[in-house]
Amino acid sequence: MIVRPHQHWFLRLFDWHGSVLSSIVFRLSLNLLMSVAAIIGYPWYSTFGIHLTTAPFSLIGVSIAIFLGFRNNASYARFIEARTLWGNMHITQRSLLRQIKCLRGISEAQVQEFIGLQLAFSWALKHRLRETDAKADLARLLPEKWHNAVLGHPMPTSQTLLCMGEWLAQRRDEGLVSDIVWQSIDENLSHLSAYLGGCDRLAGTPIPFAYSLILHRTVYLFCTLLPFALVADLHLMTPLVSVFISYTFLSLESLAEELEDPFGTAPNHLPLDALCVNIERNLKAMNNDFPLPEPHQPDKHFNLT
Amino acid sequence: MIVRPHQHWFLRLFDWHGSVLSSIVFRLSLNLLMSVAAIIGYPWYSTFGIHLTTAPFSLIGVSIAIFLGFRNNASYARFIEARTLWGNMHITQRSLLRQIKCLRGISEAQVQEFIGLQLAFSWALKHRLRETDAKADLARLLPEKWHNAVLGHPMPTSQTLLCMGEWLAQRRDEGLVSDIVWQSIDENLSHLSAYLGGCDRLAGTPIPFAYSLILHRTVYLFCTLLPFALVADLHLMTPLVSVFISYTFLSLESLAEELEDPFGTAPNHLPLDALCVNIERNLKAMNNDFPLPEPHQPDKHFNLT
Amino acid sequence: MIVRPHQHWFLRLFDWHGSVLSSIVFRLSLNLLMSVAAIIGYPWYSTFGIHLTTAPFSLIGVSIAIFLGFRNNASYARFIEARTLWGNMHITQRSLLRQIKCLRGISEAQVQEFIGLQLAFSWALKHRLRETDAKADLARLLPEKWHNAVLGHPMPTSQTLLCMGEWLAQRRDEGLVSDIVWQSIDENLSHLSAYLGGCDRLAGTPIPFAYSLILHRTVYLFCTLLPFALVADLHLMTPLVSVFISYTFLSLESLAEELEDPFGTAPNHLPLDALCVNIERNLKAMNNDFPLPEPHQPDKHFNLT
Amino acid sequence: MIVRPHQHWFLRLFDWHGSVLSSIVFRLSLNLLMSVAAIIGYPWYSTFGIHLTTAPFSLIGVSIAIFLGFRNNASYARFIEARTLWGNMHITQRSLLRQIKCLRGISEAQVQEFIGLQLAFSWALKHRLRETDAKADLARLLPEKWHNAVLGHPMPTSQTLLCMGEWLAQRRDEGLVSDIVWQSIDENLSHLSAYLGGCDRLAGTPIPFAYSLILHRTVYLFCTLLPFALVADLHLMTPLVSVFISYTFLSLESLAEELEDPFGTAPNHLPLDALCVNIERNLKAMNNDFPLPEPHQPDKHFNLT
Amino acid sequence: MIVRPHQHWFLRLFDWHGSVLSSIVFRLSLNLLMSVAAIIGYPWYSTFGIHLTTAPFSLIGVSIAIFLGFRNNASYARFIEARTLWGNMHITQRSLLRQIKCLRGISEAQVQEFIGLQLAFSWALKHRLRETDAKADLARLLPEKWHNAVLGHPMPTSQTLLCMGEWLAQRRDEGLVSDIVWQSIDENLSHLSAYLGGCDRLAGTPIPFAYSLILHRTVYLFCTLLPFALVADLHLMTPLVSVFISYTFLSLESLAEELEDPFGTAPNHLPLDALCVNIERNLKAMNNDFPLPEPHQPDKHFNLT
């Protein structure tokens, strides 16, 4: 995610790192080349009765814009849903700890143990979504007694949740938690299960592949043919207008593709590292467990992972 | 569902299996033929005062794009809802097992019995949605003592849910489950009932048939008449532009129709087999019931059913 | 609702009963007449300096398409909401019966009595929404002892719900239902109240009348003037293109109007009869109350009411 | 709200009272005048090199249509949300009374007292939203013993809700309501609080004022300049086409503005009076408190307030 | 937020303070200059074969309108979500106090203490979202005994919530609150946690930066090039039409950017100060704690912060 301090509208026009420009610059160059080819070749190939006009390209262009609008909506909705799932995780983790801390007769060690399980869950989910190794973080965060149950298990995230349920059942056995209170806390554990399942669903089920493919193809074919349609009217201005239109379509198509899977580490993806640290900071602060870990800071391009 | 490893943007342009291209190639050929007919026939039929121009086709084209955008939204929303229902089923099944496993005094055999009912429910729903025979899977998964109640019944999915309620009531009779805990678990059974009902609703109530029909018709008539509108301007380029525009409209119309019923086995449908195995793997792993069944893998065209 | 078996794309083009074509065929004929009038009158009235061109009609056409897209969205959302309310009713009725059947000490007669109240509620709601007489169905379904309370009452649907609450309170008096279990079952009664209220809201509050009126008017004026705008360019092809464009706009406007009130008996309305029978079949099957009533079948035009 | 019996499509074209036509007829006359000015002035001012063409107006027109579509969506969503809040209030009031009536040992006078508080809440909310004086209705509906607490209070709606909570606490004191039953009923009181808050939010926070302003301005400037852009092509037909296009844009802009605040008494606003009477009728019928008050009927223009 | 009394449609056209006009007036002037440059330079630069036509600008303009429509939707959804979160906070705070006040045996001092914590939470969240110093308000509102826990803490909002949980646990210890009642009240505390988390999510995660950037760029480039495309057709009318089109695009782009972060103090932002005072007034009125603080009033430009 890019977290940019407020920028003057003029400077923003020339911002390089923020946009997806770097990923489409090669394709825009191709479009520029095509425009030059159209200008040079026009007098020659038009003698064969080969000519393209703007009118049908206007039709196809507006249609593609409508479909691209649909694709951007779908991708953005996935981005927002992913962010909301992580936001709700933070909320639920905070509520869980409030419920635990307001129990009577619970020891500080037990609270610490539960916080460890909470944090292990968040970090394990992050590693699962980014397909990185969760071992180090789990070993750091998990209380000793739960190492066996989780560390060697093929599904550490789901297993950590089970351990939280078991921790709660043990408190019920000790009489610290009545059935009613168990119900309230258990409901929050089910919410954590829902966030895990929701993230899994987003990560495992992309937008139907044919949408990406059809739009990818039509956008490219459109941009490739566009200079030949413009050249009869615009002559020397063809490259400018053609690259401008192509930039609009290619960059939005490219951004929609990037947002489709919001759990990666590209500039417009969610800053899962920073979110995990935020949860850790909040839970530790609630337990007066200072000093807190430092919050993650954006790098010099304002990027936060 | 097609699960494709990351593809270079250039290669993606020529991907055959991913798109719905195979299902519309015949109709595109018709459009090509029509374009050739338009080029050949133009000098002749224009002498009769019969000519079509681009302007009204631009109007009708953009209008169809707007309505097609609406139809794609509706179909995609059904696809997403179906996927979310199955994702929520996974979540609820996991929460149910957590609640059961954290009961005190429950025997391993009883847990196994409940897991059997859980899995039977998922597989029965899959068979119901794909209209295949659930017998073999039910016989494999259901605990012996519930065979009678479910196997001969006309509605095995709904009946399995009733058996889960009965299993729970028996545990309440044995004093393992208090009223409060029963309430929490019973609420999750109601959620399973909601997923069954939600899938039934999607499968049983298509998008109002007239929408499909009106758009199907207008898209086809549009594509058929298009070459005759383009030929006066584009001459020899008519086939290229006409097939391009037709591809955009026909492929999106065809994809919207495919996504409308997301429970089938076409390339863009939901991978219900893989989802059922995922649930099975997760529940068995939670119960340390190794080895787990193998997860389903996409075939060589990256297709997952 | 039209439930059509899968149709070849070519045959679908000529399907008559599925679309709203029958309801707009008169208006399309008017449009055809207008086109002929435009062709015949064009040489004469253009001498008076009266002429229309395509450009402003393109603007107004695309604008109307956008607003029509909005109207279709609104109507379709009502259709989907209505269907979801009925789907949720099925879900809740099934969950209610599961909760009742898993009570201990309840007699078969008491379960039968409750099922009667459940079914009476569904059928009463159907009659309410279609403004038909519920007497016969209520007399058939309601248990004897509730006849007095419901049959002469001015609001039988709401009253049936009250009887279900009273039935539940009687079981609580008998000690079959604890407060907690009462809470779970009572929540489902509140859900039934919500479906009744939701359907009432849809039936009683149409889309603001001015929307229908403005779009109805602009679509008709547009279609009426269209031939005169097309005739200068298209001459003899005017009727074909004009009727084509009018068909797209008129049929979508007409369908949006039909879907706005989804509780009727027109081809694209909800099959409330079939839904009621489905609920009846499911509840009776759960109680092993065979033989089940036959499910409703579509008529020869694939129509299901 | 306008509740119109089914109208033939032809008659509907000439319906005056249903649409917002009356509120824009002056502005349409201005547009007509402008068209005439354009026709008369065209030969003269075009000699100065002042001319407008359709092409840029097509661009601006379609853009405005898109933004107007957005504004209509936002206004309509507010209308729907307002209606749903009132529909949900009806649902919750009915569920509350069912819960109260199924209590054991409660006296008829106590039920009457609670119904009085329920009705006072609905009517007080209506008066609050329409900024009318609630005194008379509150004095009519409120039970004597709550007059003091509510009638002189600056926030009678919120206060009535508090009285319902107090009524419930008194029943808990008397042992008629257990903690569990209190929880179920109290949850419904919180729902009433949510409807009050939701309506307050809609009434107090309009769509950001700049949206209204920007669209208001652009629509008017567009309609004013339009005749000058059309006159070169359409000559004598300019007034017809210009007024037609202006009608579409102005009427939808005007309707969006009307729907933005759905609690007024204009023709397309919500019939809060009728809704309040409906709730009153339903609650009294549930308590067999006949005769019921008469339902409100639309006036001769089919208007219901 | 701008709260304007009803304005005549004509006066509204010239309203200055309401719109975002002030923030784009410089950019519109640039556009005007560019138009003049286009008129003056046209005869000269067109001799070099440099010319732009309206057709491709129509295509790009409509496409930008579609994407801008998407961006406005996204920004407006954030504004609405933010407002709804604050509205729901008001609702939950009112329900919480109703639950507290209906407890038996609770002292007035304890209620006052809880109200203090409630108000401190709202004000602390406001300060957090606007990044202002919460100290003064917290010191004013917090009961003495909670000063230590909250005032020096790095996360005062989250900490206040924890104190509310602790307050509730103390009442449970005193026997004033049973487990069931604790559950109902604790659920509302979790809701407060959700509003805090939701606001944090909106404030911390802007719309993906690349969207802002791409649209910002394309809108500006479009407006800059537009006069050169219009001049060939419109000559002296170029400035009027060009500034008109630019106004529509720039103002909507600018407004979308303003609404994206709704917690600021610009004219179209949420009036958090007024909302906090409203909550304070409502809670104090419920406790008959008169006189109430004065409600905030809009300034002379109808602005409310």
Side-chain angles (χ1 to χ4, degrees), chain D residues 173 179 186 205 211 217, chain E residues 9 15 72 83 99 104 178:
Chain D
D173 294 346
D179 269 11
D186 181 75
T205 308
Y211 275 122
R217 255 178 206 156
Chain E
W9 65 266
D15 190 306
N72 267 295
R83 181 62 185 84
Q99 290 172 325
R104 291 310 186 222
S178 72

Side-chain angles (χ1 to χ4, degrees), chain A residues 15 72 83 99 104 178, chain E residues 173 179 186 205 211 216-217:
Chain A
D15 191 306
N72 267 294
R83 181 60 185 86
Q99 291 172 324
R104 290 312 186 220
S178 71
Chain E
D173 294 346
D179 269 12
D186 181 75
T205 308
Y211 275 122
H216 189 76
R217 253 178 207 157

Side-chain angles (χ1 to χ4, degrees), chain A residues 207-280:
Chain A
I207 292 175
F209 185 63
Y211 275 123
S212 315
L213 206 62
I214 293 169
L215 273 164
H216 189 76
R217 253 178 208 157
T218 47
V219 167
Y220 274 81
L221 192 50
F222 175 76
C223 293
T224 306
L225 292 178
L226 190 62
F228 300 93
L230 296 176
V231 72
D233 280 347
L234 301 183
H235 303 299
L236 291 181
M237 297 306 276
T238 303
L240 179 67
V241 175
S242 171
V243 169
F244 177 24
I245 297 180
S246 298
Y247 170 68
T248 313
F249 281 83
L250 288 178
S251 60
L252 283 168
E253 202 259 347
S254 180
L255 180 52
E257 203 177 310
E258 194 175 313
L259 288 184
E260 190 184 323
D261 176 18
F263 297 123
T265 53
N268 290 297
H269 287 166
L270 287 175
L272 299 190
D273 287 316
L275 292 172
C276 280
V277 172
N278 273 359
I279 295 175
E280 195 168 338

Side-chain angles (χ1 to χ4, degrees), chain B residues 21-58:
Chain B
L21 198 52
S22 50
S23 72
I24 61 168
V25 74
F26 176 70
R27 286 167 264 182
L28 285 179
S29 312
L30 281 184
N31 188 274
L32 190 65
L33 269 176
M34 215 57 99
S35 304
V36 174
I39 295 175
I40 295 171
Y42 180 60
W44 172 74
Y45 71 70
S46 59
T47 59
F48 297 95
I50 295 174
H51 54 157
L52 292 165
T53 54
T54 329
F57 275 77
S58 200

Side-chain angles (χ1 to χ4, degrees), chain D residues 144-294:
Chain D
E144 284 284 329
K145 64 186 278 199
W146 300 104
H147 274 204
N148 273 348
V150 175
L151 282 179
H153 199 272
M155 302 181 181
T157 327
S158 157
Q159 196 65 9
T160 308
L161 200 54
L162 194 58
C163 296
M164 293 167 88
E166 181 57 31
W167 182 95
L168 186 60
Q170 288 172 4
R171 297 299 86 70
R172 197 174 48 184
D173 294 346
E174 297 168 5
L176 300 180
V177 166
S178 71
D179 269 11
I180 300 278
V181 175
W182 170 87
Q183 188 176 47
S184 288
I185 298 176
D186 181 75
E187 198 186 330
N188 276 327
L189 296 187
S190 292
H191 288 169
L192 292 186
S193 173
Y195 310 143
L196 163 57
C199 288
D200 268 1
R201 169 169 52 78
L202 286 171
T205 308
I207 293 176
F209 185 62
Y211 275 122
S212 315
L213 206 63
I214 293 169
L215 273 164
H216 190 75
R217 255 178 206 156
T218 48
V219 166
Y220 274 80
L221 192 49
F222 175 76
C223 293
T224 306
L225 292 179
L226 191 62
F228 300 92
L230 295 176
V231 72
D233 280 347
L234 301 183
H235 303 298
L236 291 180
M237 297 307 277
T238 303
L240 178 67
V241 175
S242 173
V243 169
F244 176 24
I245 297 181
S246 298
Y247 170 67
T248 312
F249 281 82
L250 288 177
S251 61
L252 283 168
E253 203 259 347
S254 180
L255 179 53
E257 202 176 311
E258 192 174 314
L259 288 185
E260 191 183 323
D261 176 18
F263 297 123
T265 53
N268 291 295
H269 286 165
L270 287 175
L272 297 189
D273 286 318
L275 292 173
C276 280
V277 172
N278 273 359
I279 295 174
E280 194 168 339
R281 281 170 54 82
N282 199 166
L283 297 190
K284 289 195 166 162
M286 282 174 76
N287 203 31
N288 291 314
D289 195 359
F290 299 104
L292 306 179
E294 283 301 302

